[in-house]
Amino acid sequence: MTKLAVANNLFCERDDRILFKDLSLNITQGEIVHIKGPNGAGKTTLLRRLIGLSWVVEGDLSWHESVSESGIRPDGHRFWYLAHRPAVTLMQTPLENLAFAVAMHQADVSEPSLWAALADVGLKGFEDVPAHSLSAGQQRRVALARLYLNLPQIKLWVLDEPFTALDVQAVSQLETTIESFAEQGGTVIMTSHHGLHHTSVRELHIGAAA
Amino acid sequence: MIKLVQHTLQRELTLAYRRRADLLNPLFFFVLVVSLFPMGITTDLDKLTEMSGGVLWVCALLASLLSLDLMFRNDFEDGSLEQMLLSSAPPQVIVLCKIFCHWLVTGVPLTLLSPLLSIMLALPGHALPVLMASLLLGTFSLSLIGSIGAALTVGLRKGGLLLTILIMPVLVPVLIFGTSTVQAIVLGLAWPGYLAFLGAFTAGAFALAPWLTVAALKVSVCD
Amino acid sequence: MWQLFVRWFHKWSSPKWFYEMSKPWSFWLGWAALLITTTAIIWGLGFAPVERLQGNSYRIIFIHVPSAFLSEAIYVTIAIAGAIGLIWRIKLAYYVAKICVPLGMSMAFLALATGAIWGKPTWGHWWVWDMRITSMLILLLLYIGLWALHNAMERPESGDRAAAILALVGVVNIPVIKFSVNLVTTLHQPATLKFTEKAPMHISMLIPLLLSILGFYLAFLALMLVRSRIEILRRERKAKWVQQEIEQLGNR
């Protein structure tokens, strides 16, 4: 299997506290890398370093050339990043939010598949409602709808706490989606306190326990 | 790329429409401050004619500075901004679209409002087209340069006042070129040269500002 | 040759090496600056001849001119250091840029203050909207912006980068600002320009002036080194060698 990313000797220090050091990780295509650790262990920071949004982490990181763009960040149209801030603009409808997310990745998606993706996350009937009138869980779902679009050019998902604010049913649905994405050759890097049980899941523990 | 530009422009303009109350404030501010000048200094129309170009320009500058803080703030808070930096297109394109929309919803309305205020300040009628042209160009470079300041301060909770302190000295040339253009035509001097300086300044800002803004946004977004 | 340069560059970019090397330099530069500046000022104030038109009041140039020169040079230094930091990610360059801000700000302020004091007997006004004065005022405002931005950022690393970008914006703008200020001051007050036209200076005044400029520059270099050393200790306080150094300094 292709090695997507190799990182060596990652070192992170924040506010006079060493979060992790000598951290090495390999990411192989088709696996689910589950980063675990207590609150404040630097999970999000590590994730942001992987996609080039963090400067506090020192160390070498290189992406496979199919992913990397000058070695600093993965080429944008090949991954979804679901952040702590869900990038859901409250003054826009779920449909507009999703369409803009797609446009930023310069993908061609037909209107019906946008509607279908929103229906998949249980937002049927809410497509044209301003996002600020939705509940917190529903707003997270707007962000999650991107994962249901099945864009062929996106082979990597970077998910920061994807299960936050979701109900039990939605959690198990998302779990299935993540697993089937990995089975089709996609790669997932995620942080979560929720356990995943699948053959391709590899857990990576960071933080105080180490 | 064209599709992305279309989409971004459409998004920014609909958002501006939905938040239109925010956009009215700079316009009210413009009208209010301009009308304070005659009350504070003099009601003598001849003296006002002399000052009118400068007063209109200073007030337009302050009014558009007021609206700069909103350029990236909402996107920063809901997380859209980091997605823009991760976009598959150069983020400079998206930033330029945002700057252009900012100008469309602040600079252009300010310019359209200026004839009304120029009457109150007794600006001669023949100077009006030149005033509007200089304001159109000048407010665009205000939006361009202001975006750098807005990007630098977007991560700070109270960035608004700091933004003004950072960006005001850099905007001095815009103010001087703009005011000089208007004063030149009022005094019957040759004005096209000053307008050309303003144009050159705007062109320079157009070339540099998107790159510096993206660099500044990275400082604010990355931790 | 190039490789030698690169190696030299890398050496200098290491805070520890800089800290060790700068100690003797700051010492000797500091003494040289003190000696030269004192000589120049005593010479300028006490022994240089009286100017034909302005009398004794011209003597303020021995402080005014060097501080004005220096304030501009320091801004360019900050911008260059900031660019080095942004491009090669060298922390030391950021430290230097940061500690230069108050130095440059005080020089700009000194230039404005001495200019005002000089302006009163010469022009009859404390303040005239002359091209040089206005440009210096804007330079002071640019410094204030840099300083405020540094202070506002919670994390010093973000402050470094943000200030570097702002310094670049400023340095690109300085020529344009000067040009535009020249435009507006000549448009409104063509008369003031005559005062700033300088008669060719006599050699007996020029030498102490040049000495004074040299002294100010050396003083700036010495102060820059000293302040950089303090900044290194502050920012690299977690490094082992810094902790040992601080312990030693404390025992002394």
Side-chain angles (χ1 to χ4, degrees), chain B residues 171-208:
Chain B
L171 289 177
V172 166
V174 183
L175 179 69
I176 290 179
F177 293 143
T179 322
S180 307
T181 313
V182 181
Q183 273 173 347
I185 190 170
V186 170
L187 298 173
L189 304 171
W191 53 270
Y194 298 112
L195 197 62
F197 287 141
L198 188 60
F201 188 86
T202 311
F206 185 81
L208 293 179

Coordinates of all heavy atoms in Angstrom, one line a residue, chain B residues 171-208:
Chain B
L171 N -2.3 54.6 4.6 CA -3.3 55.2 3.7 C -3.1 56.7 3.4 O -3.8 57.3 2.6 CB -4.7 55.0 4.3 CG -5.1 53.6 4.3 CD1 -6.5 53.5 4.9 CD2 -5.2 53.0 2.9
V172 N -2.1 57.3 4.0 CA -1.8 58.7 3.8 C -1.7 59.1 2.3 O -2.3 60.0 1.9 CB -0.6 59.2 4.6 CG1 -0.1 60.5 4.2 CG2 -0.9 59.2 6.1
P173 N -0.9 58.3 1.5 CA -0.8 58.7 0.1 C -2.2 58.7 -0.6 O -2.5 59.6 -1.4 CB 0.0 57.6 -0.5 CG 0.8 57.0 0.6 CD 0.0 57.1 1.8
V174 N -3.1 57.7 -0.3 CA -4.4 57.7 -0.9 C -5.1 59.0 -0.6 O -5.7 59.7 -1.5 CB -5.3 56.5 -0.4 CG1 -6.6 56.5 -1.1 CG2 -4.5 55.2 -0.6
L175 N -5.1 59.4 0.7 CA -5.8 60.6 1.1 C -5.2 61.8 0.4 O -5.9 62.7 -0.2 CB -5.6 60.8 2.6 CG -6.2 62.0 3.2 CD1 -7.7 61.9 3.1 CD2 -5.8 62.2 4.6
I176 N -3.9 61.9 0.3 CA -3.2 63.1 -0.3 C -3.5 63.1 -1.8 O -3.9 64.2 -2.3 CB -1.7 63.0 -0.1 CG1 -1.5 63.3 1.4 CG2 -1.0 64.1 -0.9 CD1 0.0 63.3 1.8
F177 N -3.4 62.0 -2.5 CA -3.7 62.0 -3.9 C -5.1 62.4 -4.2 O -5.4 63.2 -5.1 CB -3.3 60.7 -4.6 CG -1.9 60.3 -4.6 CD1 -1.5 59.0 -4.3 CD2 -0.9 61.3 -4.8 CE1 -0.1 58.7 -4.3 CE2 0.4 60.9 -4.7 CZ 0.8 59.6 -4.5
G178 N -6.0 61.8 -3.4 CA -7.4 62.0 -3.6 C -7.8 63.5 -3.4 O -8.4 64.1 -4.2
T179 N -7.4 64.0 -2.2 CA -7.7 65.4 -1.9 C -7.1 66.3 -2.9 O -7.7 67.3 -3.3 CB -7.1 65.7 -0.5 OG1 -7.3 64.6 0.3 CG2 -7.9 66.9 0.1
S180 N -5.8 66.1 -3.3 CA -5.2 67.0 -4.2 C -5.9 67.0 -5.6 O -6.0 68.1 -6.2 CB -3.7 66.5 -4.5 OG -3.0 66.3 -3.3
T181 N -6.4 65.8 -6.0 CA -7.1 65.8 -7.3 C -8.3 66.8 -7.2 O -8.5 67.6 -8.1 CB -7.7 64.4 -7.5 OG1 -6.6 63.5 -7.3 CG2 -8.2 64.3 -8.9
V182 N -9.1 66.6 -6.1 CA -10.3 67.5 -6.0 C -9.9 68.9 -5.8 O -10.5 69.8 -6.5 CB -11.2 67.0 -4.8 CG1 -12.4 67.8 -4.7 CG2 -11.5 65.5 -5.0
Q183 N -8.9 69.2 -5.0 CA -8.6 70.6 -4.8 C -8.0 71.2 -6.1 O -8.3 72.4 -6.3 CB -7.6 70.7 -3.7 CG -8.4 70.8 -2.3 CD -7.5 70.8 -1.1 OE1 -6.3 70.4 -1.3 NE2 -8.0 71.1 0.0
A184 N -7.3 70.4 -6.8 CA -6.8 71.0 -8.1 C -7.9 71.4 -9.0 O -7.8 72.5 -9.6 CB -5.9 69.9 -8.8
I185 N -8.9 70.6 -9.1 CA -10.0 71.0 -10.1 C -10.8 72.2 -9.5 O -11.2 73.1 -10.2 CB -10.9 69.9 -10.5 CG1 -11.8 70.3 -11.6 CG2 -11.7 69.3 -9.3 CD1 -12.5 69.2 -12.3
V186 N -10.9 72.2 -8.2 CA -11.6 73.4 -7.6 C -10.9 74.7 -7.8 O -11.4 75.7 -8.1 CB -11.8 73.1 -6.1 CG1 -12.3 74.4 -5.4 CG2 -12.8 72.0 -5.8
L187 N -9.5 74.6 -7.7 CA -8.7 75.8 -7.9 C -8.4 76.1 -9.4 O -7.7 77.0 -9.7 CB -7.4 75.6 -7.1 CG -7.5 75.5 -5.6 CD1 -6.1 75.2 -5.0 CD2 -8.0 76.8 -5.0
G188 N -8.9 75.2 -10.3 CA -8.7 75.4 -11.7 C -7.3 75.0 -12.1 O -6.8 75.5 -13.1
L189 N -6.6 74.1 -11.4 CA -5.3 73.6 -11.8 C -5.5 72.3 -12.6 O -6.6 71.8 -12.7 CB -4.4 73.4 -10.6 CG -4.2 74.6 -9.6 CD1 -3.5 74.1 -8.4 CD2 -3.4 75.7 -10.3
A190 N -4.4 71.8 -13.1 CA -4.4 70.6 -13.8 C -4.6 69.4 -12.8 O -3.8 69.3 -11.9 CB -3.2 70.4 -14.6
W191 N -5.7 68.7 -13.0 CA -5.9 67.6 -12.0 C -5.6 66.2 -12.5 O -5.4 65.3 -11.7 CB -7.4 67.6 -11.6 CG -8.4 67.6 -12.7 CD1 -8.9 68.7 -13.3 CD2 -8.9 66.5 -13.4 NE1 -9.7 68.3 -14.3 CE2 -9.7 67.0 -14.4 CE3 -8.7 65.1 -13.2 CZ2 -10.4 66.1 -15.3 CZ3 -9.4 64.3 -14.1 CH2 -10.3 64.8 -15.1
P192 N -5.5 65.9 -13.9 CA -5.4 64.5 -14.3 C -4.1 63.9 -13.7 O -4.1 62.7 -13.4 CB -5.3 64.6 -15.8 CG -5.9 65.9 -16.1 CD -5.6 66.8 -15.0
G193 N -3.0 64.7 -13.5 CA -1.8 64.1 -12.9 C -2.0 63.4 -11.6 O -1.6 62.3 -11.3
Y194 N -2.8 64.1 -10.7 CA -3.0 63.6 -9.4 C -3.9 62.3 -9.4 O -3.6 61.4 -8.7 CB -3.7 64.6 -8.5 CG -2.9 65.9 -8.3 CD1 -3.3 67.1 -8.8 CD2 -1.7 65.8 -7.5 CE1 -2.5 68.2 -8.6 CE2 -0.9 67.0 -7.4 CZ -1.3 68.2 -7.9 OH -0.6 69.3 -7.7
L195 N -4.9 62.4 -10.3 CA -5.7 61.2 -10.5 C -4.9 60.0 -11.0 O -5.1 58.9 -10.6 CB -6.9 61.5 -11.4 CG -8.0 60.5 -11.4 CD1 -8.7 60.5 -10.0 CD2 -9.1 60.8 -12.4
A196 N -3.9 60.3 -11.8 CA -3.0 59.2 -12.3 C -2.2 58.7 -11.2 O -2.0 57.4 -11.1 CB -2.1 59.8 -13.5
F197 N -1.7 59.5 -10.3 CA -1.0 59.0 -9.1 C -1.8 58.1 -8.3 O -1.4 57.0 -7.9 CB -0.5 60.1 -8.2 CG 0.6 61.0 -8.8 CD1 0.6 62.3 -8.6 CD2 1.6 60.4 -9.5 CE1 1.6 63.1 -9.1 CE2 2.7 61.1 -10.0 CZ 2.7 62.5 -9.8
L198 N -3.1 58.5 -8.1 CA -4.0 57.7 -7.4 C -4.2 56.3 -8.1 O -4.2 55.3 -7.4 CB -5.4 58.4 -7.2 CG -6.4 57.7 -6.3 CD1 -5.8 57.6 -4.9 CD2 -7.7 58.6 -6.3
G199 N -4.4 56.4 -9.4 CA -4.5 55.2 -10.2 C -3.3 54.3 -10.1 O -3.4 53.0 -9.9
A200 N -2.1 54.9 -10.1 CA -0.9 54.1 -10.0 C -0.8 53.4 -8.6 O -0.4 52.2 -8.5 CB 0.3 54.9 -10.3
F201 N -1.2 54.2 -7.6 CA -1.1 53.6 -6.3 C -2.1 52.5 -6.1 O -1.7 51.4 -5.6 CB -1.5 54.7 -5.2 CG -1.3 54.3 -3.8 CD1 -0.1 54.5 -3.2 CD2 -2.4 53.8 -3.1 CE1 0.1 54.1 -1.9 CE2 -2.2 53.4 -1.8 CZ -0.9 53.5 -1.2
T202 N -3.3 52.6 -6.7 CA -4.3 51.6 -6.6 C -3.8 50.3 -7.4 O -3.9 49.2 -6.9 CB -5.6 52.0 -7.2 OG1 -5.9 53.3 -6.7 CG2 -6.7 51.0 -7.0
A203 N -3.1 50.5 -8.5 CA -2.6 49.4 -9.3 C -1.5 48.7 -8.5 O -1.5 47.4 -8.4 CB -2.0 49.9 -10.6
G204 N -0.7 49.4 -7.8 CA 0.4 48.8 -7.0 C -0.3 48.0 -5.8 O 0.1 46.9 -5.6
A205 N -1.3 48.6 -5.2 CA -1.9 47.9 -4.1 C -2.6 46.6 -4.6 O -2.6 45.6 -4.0 CB -3.0 48.8 -3.5
F206 N -3.2 46.7 -5.8 CA -3.9 45.6 -6.4 C -2.9 44.4 -6.6 O -3.2 43.3 -6.4 CB -4.5 46.0 -7.8 CG -5.3 45.0 -8.4 CD1 -6.6 44.8 -8.0 CD2 -4.8 44.2 -9.4 CE1 -7.4 43.8 -8.6 CE2 -5.6 43.2 -10.1 CZ -6.9 43.0 -9.6
A207 N -1.7 44.8 -7.0 CA -0.7 43.7 -7.3 C -0.2 43.1 -6.0 O 0.1 41.9 -6.0 CB 0.5 44.3 -8.1
L208 N 0.0 43.9 -4.9 CA 0.6 43.4 -3.7 C -0.3 42.9 -2.7 O 0.0 41.9 -2.0 CB 1.6 44.4 -3.1 CG 2.8 44.8 -4.0 CD1 3.6 45.9 -3.3 CD2 3.6 43.6 -4.2

